[in-house]
């Protein structure tokens, strides 16, 4: 017993007279991840850390350490797949609710606007989606805030976080309140993230005015020794003539961040600047290399550090102190879900999304809260919401608080594609939201080009009843002109075909679990196809006209976790649907066929369509597959050409929808193939794809009639090899394509942007 008292006395004595050490962590966006390596090296070598001050990413890393996370725990967090999802604005794995996912369109730029009650329009300048980051911060910091009772001096290590108040152009030193809000505020880079209110003021990134807050450390804690870790490499004492061309691409960050001056570190302190040459502020995917840079630089300066800091704090001692702090935590059970900025009707709607009804009794678990939050924010309208887990120091209870930030209820999407084939087009989409008892989303989209033109108008009414469902009326007009699909690289035989696809639809959709959606749809169809039955068209020729009008009824089950709308390399998409058609055919014969006469027929048929696409993550090597099947009793129309163009088809390659590939159409077929994606460098993929199409009923022309060949050996292949660069304006793709088709056997295609079309009434 006496020996333990002696040890305790010596420990208290040493700690009482030891130097107090302060750690200052600069801002630097992704490069700030190097601070994790600095922390690892210091703690492994028993260098004490008594205070932490940080700005921007330095504030986040320092805040995690002050909240009782070990360097290894911080490293595990920032190297996880979820971390990349947070910074890229994607939901955590398992919380990607498919129910709100819209049909893909060619848009690549979204202009977020606010339309107020007076019809005044305001521009929202934030570029990044922060819904996942916001929840991650409040979840990770909740228990530390509770233990400290929202006082940063009572954290595992006393902390100060530097932010900026833009209107008065002053820095703000955060020392109390919500820890997650402080960390979120300090990394709010202007124009990238939407600012949040802290103590009634909108705050931005602390790096705007003080990116290396050594002075804050001195003024607030007065340590004997300051260790400063600086990852901001933007300071130049003289104009960098030899580097200015390279550096100008980061001019916005240079403008926004205050200088990091190494001379602020006193002579008795230690200045650490990891070698981050070759890294930029957005290299979050290179987190391991960034951590190693911070670690290695600290180890190189270890002799200097040990000379200036005499005291040591063993790893066992630090672990004991950390465990003692964390053992005070209370389980995350929530007594209340509260709101700021929403009226009573809106609150009722949101509570239903969280499965909170008048009979629901607290407490709510973290899983309840997290599931409800991600269900809510997968609808784009709620991307403005800000979450906080707040600990009530009076009642000792957690509360989950949702704040409405400046609304983004009016969005304009721009996009399109430029291609070496004449399929280029431009796209414009307009979204308008209204939220009260229900959420109403009105949308109008336009595409126009030589090959394809479209207009789509729809309104979706989301109702939070019965586990959520929506009603969506829709009007669609599609126009395809296959004669205009010229190829820059080679001469092709013209396809004389013009298609008009018109439909009015009503869809009812319902969420099924977290990942699936069930839809029921009724369509009124009025289509028209104009075509020639021969390859050469004379000026005296008149085209056949096939008018198909009637109704389609369908029910489907679908889900998708694909990481991109085109050229995906991760996730999967699955769907199955049953369809019933009741169609009247009105055929008007032209003079390009022999023996054709005007006819009118009624057709009724059914069809089952199924598809599966999936990718496996093997590091840089990402194999995948695509499978499709169609089973139907679709009848034949008045002539072969009219039949084949309205028969279900297999469209495996990016340009398949713009070609009339007769060998890849059948009322009953099985098809599939392999997709291999090889990540070469950042955002550049090599894609290798090969497919097999097996028509169960192979359609053949016999005069003007359609006959069926059921030969088992009748199989067609297709494939592509290409490079795809995923740019901010969509994919840039150069590919060589092959089809088992005489008219379109080989082709080379270059396109920039998303090559996407609305679905045709008779196709997928």
């Amino acid at each position: 017993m006496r020996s333990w008292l002696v040890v305790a006395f010596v420990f208290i004595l040493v700690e009482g007279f030891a130097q107090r050490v302060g750690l200052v962590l600069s801002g630097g966006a992704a490069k700030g991840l190097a601070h994790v390596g600095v922390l690892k090296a210091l703690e492994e070598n028993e260098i004490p850390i008594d205070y932490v001050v940080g700005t921007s990413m330095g504030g986040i890393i320092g805040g995690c350490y002050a909240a009782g996370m070990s360097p290894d725990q911080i490293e595990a967090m920032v190297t996880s797949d979820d971390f990349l999802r947070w910074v890229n604005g994607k939901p955590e794995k398992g919380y990607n609710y498919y129910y709100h996912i819209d049909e893909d369109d060619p848009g690549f730029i979204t202009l977020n606007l606010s339309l107020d009650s007076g019809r005044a329009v305001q521009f929202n300048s934030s570029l990044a989606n922060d819904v996942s980051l916001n929840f991650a911060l409040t979840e990770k910091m909740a228990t530390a805030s509770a233990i400290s009772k929202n006082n940063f001096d009572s954290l595992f290590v006393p902390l100060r976080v530097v932010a900026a108040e833009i209107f008065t152009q002053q820095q703000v030193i955060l020392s109390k309140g919500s820890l997650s809000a402080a960390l979120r505020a300090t990394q709010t880079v202007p124009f990238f993230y939407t600012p949040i209110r802290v103590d009634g003021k909108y705050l931005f990134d602390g790096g705007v005015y003080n990116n290396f807050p050594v002075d804050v450390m001195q003024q607030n804690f007065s340590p004997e020794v300051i260790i400063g870790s600086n990852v901001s490499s933007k300071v130049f004492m003289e104009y960098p003539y030899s580097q200015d061309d390279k550096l100008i691409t980061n001019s916005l960050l240079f403008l926004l961040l205050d200088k990091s001056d190494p001379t602020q570190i006193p002579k008795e302190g230690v200045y650490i600047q990891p070698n981050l040459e070759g890294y930029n502020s957005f290299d979050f995917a290179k987190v391991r290399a960034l951590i190693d840079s911070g670690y290695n630089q600290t180890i190189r300066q270890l002799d200097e550090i040990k000379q200036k800091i005499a005291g040591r704090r063993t790893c066992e001692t630090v672990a004991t102190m950390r465990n003692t702090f964390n053992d005070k935590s209370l389980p995350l059970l929530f007594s209340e879900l509260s709101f700021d900025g929403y009226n009573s009707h809106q609150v009722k709607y949101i509570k239903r999304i969280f499965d909170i009804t008048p009979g629901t009794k607290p407490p709510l678990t973290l899983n309840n809260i997290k599931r409800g939050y991600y269900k809510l924010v997968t609808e784009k309208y709620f991307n403005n919401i800000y979450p906080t887990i707040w600990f009530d120091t009076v009642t000792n209870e957690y509360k989950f608080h949702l704040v409405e930030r400046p609304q983004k209820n009016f969005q304009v999407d721009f996009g399109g594609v430029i291609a070496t084939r004449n399929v280029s087009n431009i796209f414009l989409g307009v979204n308008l939201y209204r939220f009260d008892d229900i959420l109403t989303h009105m949308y109008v989209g336009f595409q126009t080009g030589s090959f394809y033109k479209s207009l789509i108008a729809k309104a979706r009414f989301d109702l939070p009843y019965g586990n959520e469902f929506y009603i969506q009326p829709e009007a669609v007009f599609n126009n395809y002109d296959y004669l205009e699909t010229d190829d820059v690289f080679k001469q092709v035989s013209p396809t004389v075909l013009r298609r008009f696809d018109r439909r009015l639809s009503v869809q009812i959709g319902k969420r099924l679990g977290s990942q699936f959606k069930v839809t029921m749809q009724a369509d009124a169809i009025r289509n028209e196809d104009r075509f020639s039955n021969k390859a050469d068209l004379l000026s005296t020729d008149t085209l056949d006209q096939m008018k198909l009008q009637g109704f389609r009824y369908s029910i489907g089950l679908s889900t998708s976790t694909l990481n991109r709308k085109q050229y995906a390399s991760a996730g999967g998409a699955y769907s199955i649907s049953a369809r019933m058609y009741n169609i009247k055919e009105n055929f008007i014969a032209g003079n390009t066929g022999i023996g054709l006469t005007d006819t009118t027929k009624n057709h009724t048929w059914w069809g089952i369509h199924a598809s599966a696409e999936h990718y496996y993550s093997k590091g840089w090597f990402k194999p995948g597959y695509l499978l499709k099947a169609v089973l139907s009793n679709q009848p034949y129309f008045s002539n072969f050409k009219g039949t084949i163009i309205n028969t279900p088809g297999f469209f495996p390659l990016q340009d398949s929808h713009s070609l009339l590939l007769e060998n890849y159409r059948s009322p009953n077929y099985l098809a599939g193939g392999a997709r291999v994606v090889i990540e070469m460098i950042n955002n550049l993929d090599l894609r290798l794809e090969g497919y097999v199409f097996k028509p169960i009923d192979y359609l053949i022309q016999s005069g003007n009639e359609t006959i069926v060949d059921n030969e088992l050996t009748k199989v067609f292949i297709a494939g592509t090899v290409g490079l795809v660069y995923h740019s901010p304006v969509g994919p840039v793709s150069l590919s060589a394509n092959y089809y088992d088709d005489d008219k379109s056997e080989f082709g080379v295609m270059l396109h920039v942007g998303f090559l996407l079309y609305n679905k045709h009434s008779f196709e997928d």
Side-chain angles (χ1 to χ4, degrees):
M1 181 69 178
R2 181 177 297 176
S3 61
W4 281 107
L5 290 173
V6 171
V7 170
F9 175 76
V10 171
F11 175 77
I12 294 170
L13 187 66
V14 171
E15 287 293 306
F17 292 96
Q19 297 161 302
R20 310 302 286 179
V21 179
L23 178 64
V24 178
L25 305 176
S26 78
K31 293 190 291 184
L33 296 170
H35 295 316
V36 181
V38 175
L39 282 169
K40 282 185 64 177
L42 293 175
E43 198 164 287
E44 285 177 6
N45 289 278
E46 303 183 348
I47 305 301
I49 301 172
D50 299 296
Y51 314 105
V52 176
V53 174
T55 292
S56 194
M57 183 58 77
I60 290 180
I61 300 302
C64 289
Y65 187 79
M69 295 177 68
S70 70
D72 287 341
Q73 289 174 319
I74 301 172
E75 180 179 26
M77 179 183 72
V78 299
T79 56
S80 67
D81 290 338
D82 279 337
F83 181 77
L84 282 178
R85 290 175 176 270
W86 300 338
V87 297
N88 290 323
K90 296 179 181 178
E92 286 188 19
K93 190 174 182 180
Y95 292 92
N96 186 12
Y97 292 94
Y98 178 65
Y99 172 76
H100 286 293
I101 303 300
D102 291 328
E103 294 288 341
D104 290 331
D105 61 47
F108 52 73
I109 294 176
T110 298
L111 184 65
N112 288 308
L113 304 169
S114 297
L115 188 65
D116 61 24
S117 57
R119 298 183 180 177
V121 177
Q122 294 181 334
F123 173 63
N124 283 281
S125 59
S126 59
L127 301 176
N129 184 333
D130 62 359
V131 293
S132 294
L133 178 64
N134 292 340
F135 191 89
L137 285 174
T138 198
E139 177 188 355
K140 300 295 184 184
M141 299 299 111
T143 56
S145 279
I147 295 169
S148 67
K149 298 188 182 299
N150 305 315
N151 182 349
F152 296 179
D153 284 334
S154 299
L155 292 166
F156 169 63
V157 173
L159 171 74
R160 294 294 182 269
V161 178
V162 181
E165 203 280 275
I166 295 297
F167 297 111
T168 61
Q169 298 187 353
Q170 294 179 345
Q171 74 173 6
V172 177
I173 312 302
L174 299 172
S175 61
K176 60 181 180 179
S178 167
L179 178 57
S180 64
L183 303 191
R184 173 59 178 80
T186 191
Q187 60 88 57
T188 306
V189 179
F191 308 116
F192 288 91
Y193 287 119
T194 302
I196 65 167
R197 287 185 188 270
V198 178
D199 294 333
K201 298 178 181 179
Y202 280 117
L203 300 184
F204 285 84
D205 193 320
V208 173
Y209 296 126
N210 194 347
N211 197 48
F212 193 40
V214 176
D215 58 332
V216 176
M217 175 64 77
Q218 293 169 323
Q219 293 165 10
N220 282 260
F221 298 119
S222 301
E224 285 82 6
V225 181
I226 295 177
I227 300 174
S229 176
N230 176 33
V231 297
S232 177
S233 55
K234 86 174 197 70
V235 175
F236 295 93
M237 305 311 290
E238 298 179 358
Y239 188 87
Y241 289 101
S242 62
Q243 304 178 57
D244 55 357
D245 286 333
K246 183 190 300 185
L247 296 169
I248 195 64
T249 59
N250 290 324
S251 58
L252 180 60
L253 282 177
F254 281 60
L255 177 67
L256 294 176
L257 296 181
D258 186 33
K259 66 181 181 179
S260 298
D261 184 1
T263 63
Q264 293 182 69
I265 298 292
K267 63 180 181 179
E268 62 272 14
V270 180
Y271 178 73
I272 300 173
Q273 181 156 12
N275 181 7
L276 301 177
E277 184 176 354
Y279 299 101
N280 63 52
S281 298
F282 303 100
D283 280 337
F284 289 99
K286 299 179 180 178
V287 55
R288 292 190 184 277
L290 291 164
I291 292 173
D292 288 343
S293 296
Y295 183 88
N296 293 334
Q297 183 60 41
T298 307
I299 295 298
R300 280 192 287 268
Q301 295 182 232
L302 198 56
D303 288 343
E304 176 194 0
I305 295 170
K306 288 184 175 180
Q307 287 175 4
K308 293 183 176 180
I309 301 174
R312 299 290 178 267
R313 190 169 297 152
T314 67
C315 296
E316 292 78 10
T317 300
V318 175
T320 300
M321 294 168 60
R322 184 176 286 121
N323 290 337
T324 301
F325 176 82
N326 289 323
D327 286 345
K328 300 175 185 176
S329 63
L330 297 173
L332 282 171
L333 297 174
F334 299 85
S335 64
E336 185 180 340
L337 179 62
S338 59
F339 303 87
D340 186 5
Y342 295 99
N343 64 38
S344 59
H345 298 290
Q346 295 169 333
V347 167
K348 187 176 181 180
Y349 179 101
I350 295 174
K351 281 187 173 182
R352 286 186 175 274
I353 301 299
F354 279 78
D355 296 325
I356 299 174
T357 58
T360 304
K361 296 181 179 180
L364 302 169
T365 66
L366 176 63
N367 188 51
N368 296 142
I369 294 295
K370 194 170 186 177
R371 189 173 62 242
Y373 175 79
Y374 277 109
K375 279 198 295 183
L376 187 69
V377 299
T378 49
E379 164 54 62
K380 292 180 182 178
Y381 174 79
F382 293 108
N383 282 180
N384 72 307
I385 208 164
Y386 181 73
T388 303
I389 295 175
W390 183 260
F391 184 73
D392 190 326
T393 56
V394 176
T395 62
N396 285 337
E397 295 176 327
Y398 291 102
K399 298 180 179 180
F400 189 66
H401 190 62
L402 293 174
V403 178
E404 181 186 39
R405 293 182 290 175
Q407 190 54 265
K408 302 175 183 179
N409 59 351
F410 183 39
Q411 298 171 354
V412 182
D413 299 322
F414 302 93
V417 65
I418 301 173
T420 51
R421 288 185 52 220
N422 202 14
V423 294
S424 303
N425 63 51
I426 58 175
F427 164 80
L428 173 67
V430 179
N431 302 267
L432 182 62
Y433 293 88
R434 184 181 182 276
F435 179 41
D436 198 56
D437 296 271
I438 63 175
L439 177 64
T440 302
H441 175 196
M442 291 171 282
Y443 171 81
V444 179
F446 307 88
Q447 276 181 263
T448 182
S450 298
F451 164 66
Y452 178 71
K453 298 177 178 66
S454 77
L455 168 64
I456 179 170
K458 60 185 178 181
R460 172 166 162 159
F461 305 97
D462 273 284
L463 298 97
Y465 306 106
N467 205 24
E468 295 181 81
F469 74 97
Y470 67 82
I471 301 172
Q472 179 174 288
E474 180 178 82
V476 180
F477 171 79
N478 295 317
N479 180 3
Y480 310 81
D481 191 347
Y482 286 78
L483 187 61
E484 295 297 329
T485 58
D486 297 335
D487 195 312
V488 171
F489 292 126
K490 67 173 185 175
Q491 289 292 110
V492 295
S493 300
T495 300
V496 183
L497 170 63
R498 193 169 185 186
R499 311 198 72 185
F500 300 90
D501 174 37
R502 312 175 186 91
R503 69 179 183 272
L504 296 175
S505 309
V506 175
Q507 182 182 97
I508 299 175
K510 180 172 175 56
R511 183 170 65 84
L512 184 63
S514 61
Q515 303 297 326
F516 289 90
K517 177 171 66 175
V518 177
T519 56
M520 294 175 288
Q521 185 166 319
D523 305 86
I525 298 170
R526 188 179 181 88
N527 293 352
E528 181 179 341
D529 297 317
R530 300 174 186 175
F531 51 86
S532 172
N533 292 285
K534 60 183 184 179
D536 299 322
L537 184 67
L538 304 177
S539 60
T540 56
D541 287 341
T542 58
L543 302 179
D544 290 0
Q545 296 182 54
M546 181 170 288
K547 299 180 179 180
L548 303 174
Q549 63 183 69
F551 299 93
R552 179 183 71 173
Y553 309 95
S554 63
I555 182 170
L557 176 69
S558 59
T559 186
S560 177
T561 57
L562 294 176
N563 63 331
R564 299 187 181 105
K565 64 175 73 176
Q566 191 173 16
Y567 299 115
S569 62
Y574 309 89
S575 68
I576 185 169
S577 64
R579 308 171 187 180
M580 177 68 72
Y581 292 87
N582 190 345
I583 299 296
K584 179 180 180 180
E585 173 196 355
N586 183 16
F587 177 74
I588 303 173
N591 65 358
T592 62
I594 300 174
L596 293 172
T597 58
D598 296 354
T599 57
T600 300
K601 297 180 181 179
N602 291 314
H603 304 282
T604 300
W605 74 92
W606 56 265
I608 297 175
H609 297 239
S611 68
E613 179 181 0
H614 188 83
Y615 298 89
Y616 300 93
S617 179
K618 304 292 182 182
W620 54 268
F621 181 71
K622 300 181 183 297
Y625 63 81
L626 173 67
L627 302 174
K628 298 205 74 172
V630 173
L631 177 65
S632 77
N633 66 340
Q634 182 170 332
Y636 309 138
F637 297 109
S638 295
N639 75 339
F640 175 78
K641 194 67 171 283
T643 297
I644 200 71
I645 62 180
N646 286 291
T647 295
F650 179 51
F651 309 103
L653 308 186
Q654 78 277 61
D655 66 341
S656 298
H657 278 95
S658 62
L659 300 169
L660 182 59
L661 301 166
E662 296 183 6
N663 288 341
Y664 299 85
R665 290 177 178 264
S666 172
N668 296 280
Y669 72 77
L670 299 173
R675 294 177 166 179
V676 176
V677 182
I678 299 173
E679 292 185 354
M680 301 179 67
I681 57 175
N682 279 355
N683 296 318
L684 179 64
D685 296 341
L686 172 65
R687 295 185 70 95
L688 306 170
E689 304 177 23
Y691 305 95
V692 176
F693 177 80
K694 171 55 188 166
I696 299 173
D697 296 325
Y698 179 57
L699 304 185
I700 301 175
Q701 183 174 5
S702 177
N704 292 315
E705 299 297 321
T706 303
I707 61 175
V708 176
D709 182 353
N710 297 120
E711 183 182 346
L712 290 176
T713 59
K714 191 71 69 175
V715 172
F716 301 94
I717 62 174
T720 183
V721 57
L723 292 171
V724 180
Y725 175 70
H726 300 281
S727 77
V729 295
V732 180
S733 170
L734 175 62
S735 62
N737 301 335
Y738 171 79
Y739 294 102
D740 218 341
D741 183 273
D742 293 338
K743 294 181 180 179
S744 305
E745 189 171 19
F746 290 101
V748 176
M749 186 172 189
L750 171 67
H751 76 87
V752 180
F754 294 102
L755 195 59
L756 298 171
Y757 311 106
N758 297 322
K759 292 181 179 179
H760 188 277
S761 301
F762 294 158
E763 298 174 352
D764 292 331

